[in-house]
Amino acid sequence: MSAEIVGAEGLTLAALLTPWIGAPLIWLARGNTNRREAVTLITAVVLVGLVLALYELVAAGARPTLTLVDPLPGLAIAFTVEPLGMLFALIASGLWLVTSVYSIGYMRGHHEENQTRFYIFFALALGATIGLAFSGNLLTLFIFYEALTLSTYPLVTHHGDEAARAGGRTYLGILLSTSIGFLLLAIIVTASYAGTLDFVPGGILAGTAPNWVLGVLLALYVFGIGKAAVMPFHRWLPAAMVAPTPVSALLHAVAVVKAGVFSVLKVVIYVFGIDLVAEIPMSHWLAYVAAATILIASIVALRKDNLKARLAYSTVSQLSYIVLGALLADSWGIVGGAMHIATHAFGKITLFFAAGAIYVASGRTRVSQLRGLGRAMPITMGAFLIGSLSIVGLPPFGGAWSKWFLLFGTLDAGQYVFMAVLLVSSLLNIFYLVSIPMRAFFSAPDPDLAGQGEAPPLCVAALVVTAAGCLALFLFPDALYRLLLPLVGL
Amino acid sequence: MIASNLPALQVVVPLISAPICAMLGRGRTAWVLTVAVSWTALAIAIALLIRVETGGVIDYEMGGWAAPWGIAYRIDYLNAFVLVIVAGIGAMVAPAALQGIATEIAPERQPRFFAAMLLALTGLLGITITGDAFNLYVFLEIASLASYALVAQGPDRRALMAAFQYLILGTIGATFILIGVGLLYMMTGTLNMADLAARLPAVAETRTIYAAFAFIIVGTGLKLALFPLHMWLPNAYAYAPGVVSAFMAATGTKVGVYMLARFVYTVFGAPFAFDTMPLGQILMPFALLGIVVGSLVAIFQDDIKRMLAYSSVAQIGYMALGISFASETGLIATIVHLFNHALMKGALFLALAAVSLRLGKTDLTAMRGLGRRMPLTMAAFVAAGLSLIGVPLTAGFVSKWYLVKAAIEAGLWPVAVVILGASLLAMIYVWRVVEVAYFRAPAANAPAAVEAPTTMLIPILILAGGGIYFGIDTEVTVGIARAAAMALLGTSP
Amino acid sequence: MAALGHFNYWVAIGLMMIGLYLVIARGNLVKKLVGLNIFQTAVFLLYISMGKVIGGTAPIFAEGFTLYTNPLPSVLILTAIVVSVATTAVGLAIIVRIREAYDSIEEDDILRRDEE
């Protein structure tokens, strides 16, 4: 067993370092585009391999820890791999590989500029994501959280034009303001009261401060983790849609937004502890804010004609599902929320992939332009259908499980209002998401669609993989479920 | 013999070199001498710091005359650290100075320019190292006079009025300190700081000492540009030659903060300053105002040097805030920020000096597209800018952390909010420059710009890199700051 | 009567205020500098006068005298006078350069010319 433990630390370090080593290698390979793309793909494959190997160990009960330097006396950059972080790392690394394949198709098909810069910062962003996933204390989490914001800024502003600059400003402005203004304050206050910032199952704050202080602290965390897009700090998500679609797909369906809700779950489970969160009155108020976000974002999504904007607001809504699950402080809610990280990731990335494929193949960006597109691009729209059904939460797609658990959580906690919110939101999802592929397949096509072909093959391949992932998550949820049970002490 | 007289040499070496420099005929020779002297000064400062770490406080008597009648130099953790900061910045700026002033100062005046720089260095080192209150005034005036002359060398004619205004305000400030010292002498009969500290408690409850305290605080406040006594700073930094701004911004006000800490904690003692006199209640609001007003005004400046000057006013507010907490964490925050801010502002102003060298001006429109034309310089600017905002893994983050921690330990949550809010304001004014440099194309008639010359680029990169290194490995800086803070508060190990 | 006995302080403060007033209220740069000088001189008077010991003679060793005035303040002020002279010199040098650049040494004129 000890040989495996030593191996686990080594694996963790290797996984952490892989993207950071990959980035300069991409720069070195910039002369030949095929060689450069190969470096990205190899880095991604290596990362997936390492993360999978780690998964074997963590699923068996190992919790490898790693401590690096102390930037502040007594507070180290430390890593601890636990089930939630393992899940996040699996999703991020696996989908990075898929997205890299997709990006190659998209960037080449669209003749984008500055591709080297794109791939380098993509690798850096993934490096920050893995660092975040494996963080062992709040300081490390904060460091990689900020690193993620900064490394994704050049990706969001990739096109370098006025719109990109404005979008980048909103993106950076909201994310840095919330993280420095609220999150950092919360972390320092936590350090003052608890004396430590380590992630400990059961939390570090129990009994250290009066309830009202803990309540304020929880609010600071929920609003400070701006990447979870809880209203009113959600505007950065639609603003980030100025980015090229591969960026929107991986980062804003998977890495950045999941980093947000992941951090919320980590704080709830490992800083406060589920029982403490259940006791604080503020959790209830914050749950209402999350519920409001779910509904308002769904309604706004209904009214958006721009496809990416609609998907952005859908993401805002879905993220608050997870925040709600966390704040319910109920075992089913936590497990459901954590599962939703996985199921929503696959579903949303499929939708974004499809949106990008449509744009590259036909130049269309608006929902109203997609009538009858199903005949010309059947695989793309088919995948879109699968993705939207998964998000709605219908079997036989993975989203069904996470939604089921979340609903069960609301019932278990006796919160019927929230149950109603979830059901209403699912209904709205059907209206604003499923209607798109329905219209694409069953409406009469526009005349100027004649001769429209499918998207570039690499894009289509990626689409099929993620759509299949949605299906697989429904058929084989066991491993996921068993991985997550220790979070709630089961 | 050299080893035992290092404290004296720290001041004497630059002092003697200054007139030698003035007599040299060519700017280049004067520059070589300046670089050699500044590096020697750094070596001496580091040696003194090591000696303090291993052997404790160094007491040195000038000329062998025993204190308190003779002038004594007293080096503890705090001074040793500030000596390293000042000498370090001098050692970084001196190599960059030759190219930096190439377009701003005529060749025949360059030897005297370097002489003035050496005098300024002498003065600043002397202020830091001395243990005698009047000696501090003398060195203060040496440094200030040299600074007035240096500021007046600026290429724009507005530098002259800026220098004159600085002269008037600076002299008033120094004279206030002189009055304060005089009043202290009247009541205690001594000028030696350690001796004053011993004798003051007996006479502390008199109006004379209250007046002395007030005069000294106001005088020091003028020197460190505490709001609202900061009026001289924006013009002086904006119109001075680029290299001078870098030097002054990274050293002058740091030494001012050192003077404040020394007088408040060592000479008068924290109980007198904070319990008998309402220093905390007075310093904190002004510090907070400085932070907020400085950051806000910086956002609206078009000239980047002026923007950084107002940013300095805000950063000085941070340091004064740390002192006003009268707690160990607060002092650690201030002392660590002395170091970190010197790194940040040194890098930023030196980068701007390089820009000024290549483009002739430093306003926002001139900096369009600079990210491509001067990539390394702008990369250093961005790194130092991130440190100013307080992004983790930079030095600025460490200072912010301790400052907010001190505010929370004092139970002052609103102050913590203000500190973090100012970081967001810093984000606005730093990002304005980043956007313009990386997102805009250069204007059609912009002068062609190439990367900064190597003698400037290397110090810029060292300073910017230091801002990141000391954000990750803080053992040295925080360790020294903690030891210094404990010594100041009398809770020494 | 104690107030009259402390007349040196009153003189010093009076001169200080006059000096500061000149610095602030006068627009002519040379007059500002003169005000600064008066301000500094007031401080010198303060120091030197405080060194006087009643009944003491000049601080020079001589036969037959046992009580001397305190020499230290005078010594300190010698240094301070040098500093003041140096400051005045630098100030005047700057004023000469200002005159060359602006053709005036009135603060209002100079500020107006800058705005143009």
Side-chain angles (χ1 to χ4, degrees):
Chain A
M1 191 60 179
S2 53
E4 280 163 288
I5 301 291
V6 167
E9 259 92 47
L11 279 176
T12 313
L13 187 59
L16 284 165
L17 288 176
T18 306
W20 300 103
I21 298 178
L25 287 178
I26 296 175
W27 188 74
L28 286 173
R30 67 191 185 282
N32 179 318
T33 51
N34 285 331
R35 200 169 53 200
R36 175 189 69 198
E37 258 70 297
V39 173
T40 302
L41 289 174
I42 293 175
T43 314
V45 168
V46 168
L47 185 63
V48 171
L50 290 169
V51 169
L52 276 174
L54 255 181
Y55 165 71
E56 298 283 319
L57 297 173
V58 172
R63 299 284 180 263
T65 53
L66 202 60
T67 310
L68 297 179
V69 295
D70 279 26
L72 292 165
L75 291 170
I77 299 184
F79 301 99
T80 305
V81 184
E82 44 76 52
L84 192 62
M86 197 67 247
L87 171 68
F88 189 29
L90 277 167
I91 304 286
S93 54
L95 288 176
W96 182 28
L97 182 56
V98 178
T99 309
S100 299
V101 172
Y102 179 85
S103 305
I104 298 172
Y106 181 93
M107 300 298 271
R108 292 188 179 192
H110 208 235
H111 307 291
E112 289 271 354
E113 300 189 343
N114 291 315
Q115 289 191 28
T116 307
R117 186 179 77 192
F118 175 86
Y119 288 111
I120 293 179
F121 278 104
F122 225 98
L124 291 175
L126 257 297
T129 309
I130 301 292
L132 186 80
F134 290 160
S135 56
N137 61 32
L138 274 170
L139 180 67
T140 315
L141 186 132
F142 185 70
I143 292 175
F144 285 105
Y145 186 92
E146 297 293 73
L148 188 57
T149 308
L150 290 174
S151 56
T152 50
Y153 176 76
L155 291 169
V156 170
T157 57
H158 182 86
H159 289 132
D161 57 10
E162 193 49 45
R165 200 166 66 90
R169 220 182 244 198
T170 311
Y171 183 76
L172 204 65
I174 297 186
L175 286 180
L176 280 183
S177 304
T178 49
S179 65
I180 295 181
F182 299 140
L183 182 58
L184 182 58
L185 182 61
I187 293 178
I188 299 182
V189 173
T190 308
S192 275
Y193 277 109
T196 173
L197 287 178
D198 291 334
F199 286 135
V200 174
I204 52 175
L205 279 174
T208 57
N211 260 8
W212 72 269
V213 171
L214 291 175
V216 171
L217 208 53
L218 189 60
L220 281 175
Y221 274 115
V222 170
F223 289 117
I225 301 178
K227 294 193 172 109
V230 176
M231 286 187 171
F233 300 113
H234 65 286
R235 285 277 303 128
W236 63 270
L237 238 185
M241 291 302 131
V242 295
T245 307
V247 176
S248 305
L250 183 66
L251 299 183
H252 303 118
V254 180
V256 174
V257 298
K258 293 305 179 297
V261 288
F262 166 81
S263 305
V264 172
L265 277 169
K266 277 280 249 226
V267 165
V268 163
I269 301 174
Y270 292 106
V271 175
F272 282 84
I274 304 177
D275 299 322
L276 190 58
V277 171
E279 282 172 20
I280 308 174
M282 180 65 84
S283 344
H284 207 66
W285 295 110
L286 291 171
Y288 275 116
V289 175
T293 306
I294 295 177
L295 286 178
I296 300 177
S298 300
I299 297 174
V300 175
L302 261 176
R303 306 178 50 222
K304 290 286 177 193
D305 195 28
N306 181 302
L307 181 56
K308 279 176 78 172
R310 185 177 286 204
L311 293 180
Y313 276 98
S314 165
T315 306
V316 172
S317 174
Q318 294 290 314
L319 288 175
S320 279
Y321 274 53
I322 304 177
V323 175
L324 183 62
L327 289 170
L328 283 175
D330 173 273
S331 303
W332 294 113
I334 302 269
V335 172
M339 285 190 92
H340 206 59
I341 290 183
T343 60
H344 176 251
F346 273 92
K348 222 13 140 346
I349 205 173
T350 310
L351 294 178
F352 271 106
F353 278 169
I358 294 172
Y359 181 54
V360 170
S362 70
R364 287 151 196 261
T365 55
R366 317 198 129 259
V367 172
S368 47
Q369 299 169 317
L370 301 181
R371 279 172 219 281
L373 199 54
R375 319 279 160 105
M377 304 178 71
I379 308 181
T380 307
M381 292 317 296
F384 198 105
L385 181 62
I386 293 179
S388 23
L389 287 176
S390 183
I391 302 263
V392 170
L394 290 173
F397 302 111
W401 288 120
S402 52
K403 189 138 306 175
W404 171 249
F405 282 127
L406 280 170
L407 278 169
F408 211 72
T410 57
L411 272 175
D412 199 39
Q415 303 289 351
Y416 301 109
V417 175
F418 295 137
M419 186 179 83
V421 167
L422 288 178
L423 289 172
V424 169
S425 168
S426 301
L427 207 60
L428 289 172
N429 278 337
I430 297 180
F431 280 125
Y432 69 74
L433 272 186
V434 182
S435 61
I436 300 177
M438 287 298 156
R439 246 180 306 183
F441 282 117
F442 298 120
S443 291
D446 289 335
D448 51 325
L449 266 180
Q452 178 66 49
E454 260 293 2
L458 285 177
C459 294
V460 173
L463 271 170
V464 168
V465 169
T466 53
C470 292
L471 190 58
L473 277 172
F474 178 79
L475 297 173
F476 311 108
D478 241 28
L480 189 57
Y481 184 64
R482 268 182 291 115
L483 178 67
L484 293 173
L485 279 181
L487 285 179
V488 292
L490 294 171
Chain B
M1 196 206 107
I2 292 190
S4 58
N5 287 316
L6 273 184
L9 284 174
Q10 175 84 93
V11 177
V12 165
V13 168
L15 181 61
I16 303 261
S17 319
I20 297 179
C21 242
M23 294 191 296
L24 290 172
R26 300 183 50 227
R28 184 169 277 270
T29 333
W31 171 66
V32 170
L33 179 60
T34 308
V35 171
V37 166
S38 58
W39 285 357
T40 313
L42 178 60
I44 298 178
I46 294 179
L48 286 173
L49 179 63
I50 295 178
R51 211 196 278 177
V52 169
E53 282 196 328
T54 49
V57 174
I58 302 177
D59 277 304
Y60 178 84
E61 291 157 359
M62 236 353 186
W65 300 106
W69 307 115
I71 293 177
Y73 285 176
R74 189 163 202 279
I75 309 176
D76 59 7
Y77 268 107
L78 182 64
N79 326 37
F81 195 41
V82 179
L83 279 176
V84 170
I85 295 175
V86 174
I89 295 292
M92 288 294 115
V93 171
L98 184 67
Q99 290 278 32
I101 59 173
T103 52
E104 287 174 337
I105 300 185
E108 59 271 9
R109 288 204 258 144
Q110 285 178 2
R112 286 181 300 231
F113 171 84
F114 285 112
M117 258 194 87
L118 284 174
L119 279 176
L121 187 64
T122 309
L124 291 168
L125 290 171
I127 297 172
T128 316
I129 205 171
T130 186
D132 182 291
F134 190 82
N135 201 224
L136 184 136
Y137 167 76
V138 174
F139 277 119
L140 178 63
E141 285 294 63
I142 294 178
S144 305
L145 285 170
S147 303
Y148 309 148
L150 284 171
V151 170
Q153 303 293 318
D156 188 316
R157 70 177 183 178
R158 284 174 290 188
L160 295 169
M161 266 315 266
F164 190 77
Q165 196 191 20
Y166 183 21
L167 182 145
I168 299 282
L169 286 173
T171 309
I172 294 179
T175 314
F176 273 15
I177 295 179
L178 184 62
I179 298 174
V181 169
L183 292 175
L184 283 177
Y185 176 71
M186 262 194 256
M187 293 303 289
T188 58
T190 176
L191 291 167
N192 181 295
M193 286 187 199
D195 207 23
L196 275 171
R199 295 196 193 194
L200 266 176
V203 293
E205 308 282 321
T206 55
R207 253 188 249 139
T208 319
I209 300 297
Y210 296 163
F213 186 72
F215 272 114
I216 289 181
I217 297 295
V218 175
T220 337
L222 256 167
K223 279 299 170 182
L224 68 93
L226 179 67
F227 185 93
L229 304 167
H230 66 285
M231 256 89 71
W232 57 269
L233 196 146
N235 281 338
Y237 284 13
Y239 298 124
V243 167
V244 170
S245 302
F247 182 66
M248 278 175 46
T251 55
T253 41
K254 312 293 159 299
V255 173
V257 173
Y258 160 78
M259 282 197 297
L260 185 66
R262 184 57 85 202
F263 273 114
V264 167
Y265 286 99
T266 305
V267 175
F268 287 99
F272 173 79
F274 290 97
D275 299 329
T276 319
M277 303 290 283
L279 183 64
Q281 284 99 301
I282 293 183
L283 202 54
M284 198 178 292
F286 283 129
L288 289 170
L289 275 172
I291 294 173
V292 173
V293 172
S295 304
L296 278 174
V297 178
I299 296 177
F300 296 103
Q301 300 305 313
D302 261 335
D303 179 22
I304 307 300
K305 274 175 85 172
R306 224 187 165 75
M307 176 191 98
L308 288 179
Y310 278 106
S311 163
S312 290
V313 173
Q315 299 289 315
I316 288 160
Y318 282 130
M319 295 184 237
L321 189 62
I323 291 185
S324 70
F325 286 126
S327 67
E328 187 180 307
T329 319
L331 273 176
I332 293 179
T334 298
I335 298 172
V336 157
H337 203 51
L338 285 178
F339 184 77
N340 296 335
H341 184 239
L343 283 175
M344 291 191 269
K345 275 292 158 46
L348 287 168
F349 272 109
L350 262 186
L352 275 187
V355 170
S356 174
L357 175 70
R358 293 299 190 215
L359 294 178
K361 40 198 172 112
T362 52
D363 51 89
L364 208 51
T365 35
M367 295 193 61
R368 289 189 181 184
L370 216 50
R372 293 211 183 228
R373 299 187 280 157
M374 299 177 77
L376 288 174
T377 311
M378 287 316 293
F381 191 97
V382 172
L386 288 176
S387 193
L388 212 56
I389 298 175
V391 165
L393 293 186
T394 60
F397 177 68
V398 178
S399 327
K400 283 292 153 72
W401 178 278
Y402 277 105
L403 208 53
V404 174
K405 191 153 175 263
I408 300 210
E409 282 174 7
L412 296 165
W413 285 52
V415 172
V417 172
V418 171
I419 297 170
L420 292 172
S423 297
L424 300 179
L425 292 176
M427 175 178 76
I428 299 180
Y429 61 72
V430 169
W431 222 252
R432 279 173 82 219
V433 180
V434 170
E435 275 190 357
V436 162
Y438 288 98
F439 283 92
R440 295 250 205 238
N445 56 354
V450 296
E451 189 55 86
T454 326
T455 51
M456 292 187 83
L457 194 56
I458 296 190
I460 295 175
L461 290 176
I462 293 181
L463 287 170
I468 299 194
Y469 176 75
F470 286 107
I472 302 179
D473 178 11
T474 58
E475 205 185 306
V476 173
T477 48
V478 175
I480 296 179
R482 171 162 287 133
M486 291 205 285
L488 283 178
L489 286 171
T491 56
S492 48
Chain C
M1 287 304 108
L4 274 183
H6 296 148
F7 76 93
N8 59 326
Y9 299 126
W10 291 110
V11 169
I13 298 203
L15 280 177
M16 259 191 241
M17 294 301 113
I18 294 174
L20 277 178
Y21 172 76
L22 282 173
V23 170
I24 299 171
R26 287 285 170 258
N28 184 304
L29 297 183
V30 174
K31 288 188 184 173
K32 280 185 195 286
L33 209 51
V34 169
L36 199 63
N37 256 294
I38 296 178
F39 175 61
Q40 289 181 302
T41 310
V43 178
F44 303 157
L45 288 177
L46 179 68
Y47 262 73
I48 300 174
S49 61
M50 77 157 108
K52 171 73 181 171
V53 173
I54 301 199
T57 181
I60 304 170
F61 267 130
E63 297 288 320
F65 289 99
T66 48
L67 194 59
Y68 297 97
T69 309
N70 191 342
L72 187 59
S74 309
V75 165
L76 299 177
I77 292 309
L78 277 173
T79 313
I81 291 176
V82 171
V83 170
S84 165
V85 168
T87 310
T88 312
V90 174
L92 287 172
I94 296 180
I95 293 178
V96 166
R97 290 277 309 273
I98 290 181
R99 176 80 161 83
E100 284 170 10
Y102 287 94
D103 219 20
S104 157
I105 54 173
E106 291 290 331
E107 194 182 20
D108 304 325
D109 274 350
I110 295 167
L111 291 173
R112 207 171 2 98
R113 263 163 239 225
D114 269 335
E115 259 151 60
E116 287 159 16

